[in-house]
Amino acid sequence: VQLQASGGGLVQAGGSLGLSCVVSGRAFSGRAFSRYGMGWFRQAPGKEREFVAAISRSGTNSVYGDSVKGRFTISRDNAKNTVYLQMNSLKPEDTAVYYCAADTRFGSNSYVGAVLNEYDLWGQETQVTVSS
């Protein structure tokens, strides 16, 4: 199973970017995606990996890190095996490499995990740079 993130880039402060993360793989069943909790994390140079946002298996619940509340929106399309992160009002401090992650454990459809070690599958990074 692979997580493929895309959509990063360079944007001016105040601008917007949208990230996508597609889950796929030879042994991956598309129906399995709806059983995965999904999250986005980020890591700035010299800092620890930080929780950004997460969404429940059903897509009905979401949680955000304090630094992005009101600016970022996470969503998912279970039919497309994809999770999204819409980032608005970007700030220079949002500059980081962003990772999508999946919690493949059995869990409630409404549960949202906000802790890094709850996620057992990780995608490759996508760079987001916000210029001032």
Side-chain angles (χ1 to χ4, degrees):
V1 179
Q2 298 173 333
L3 282 67
Q4 182 76 34
S6 61
L10 173 65
V11 65
Q12 288 189 331
S16 298
L17 276 177
L19 305 183
S20 300
C21 176
V22 180
V23 181
S24 65
R26 179 180 298 181
F28 173 71
S29 164
R31 290 173 294 178
F33 180 75
S34 65
R35 297 195 292 267
Y36 295 172
M38 298 298 298
W40 288 95
F41 294 78
R42 67 186 182 186
Q43 189 166 16
K47 295 187 177 181
E48 293 186 351
R49 196 167 294 190
E50 173 190 23
F51 170 74
V52 175
I55 190 166
S56 62
R57 290 159 176 78
S58 63
T60 54
N61 295 330
S62 57
V63 173
Y64 296 90
D66 288 342
S67 60
V68 306
K69 281 180 182 176
R71 301 187 297 121
F72 290 13
T73 302
I74 188 171
S75 60
R76 65 189 294 160
D77 186 336
N78 286 349
K80 296 182 178 179
N81 302 332
T82 303
V83 62
Y84 305 95
L85 185 69
Q86 179 62 38
M87 305 182 292
N88 298 329
S89 302
L90 283 161
K91 304 175 181 180
E93 50 263 45
D94 294 317
T95 295
V97 291
Y98 284 69
Y99 301 87
C100 66
D103 172 7
T104 68
R105 303 168 304 164
F106 177 78
S108 165
N109 282 342
S110 60
Y111 177 76
V112 185
V115 178
L116 188 147
N117 62 13
E118 292 184 283
Y119 292 83
D120 54 332
L121 285 181
W122 291 83
Q124 91 292 351
E125 65 210 43
T126 186
Q127 176 72 46
V128 172
T129 303
V130 184
S131 62
S132 57

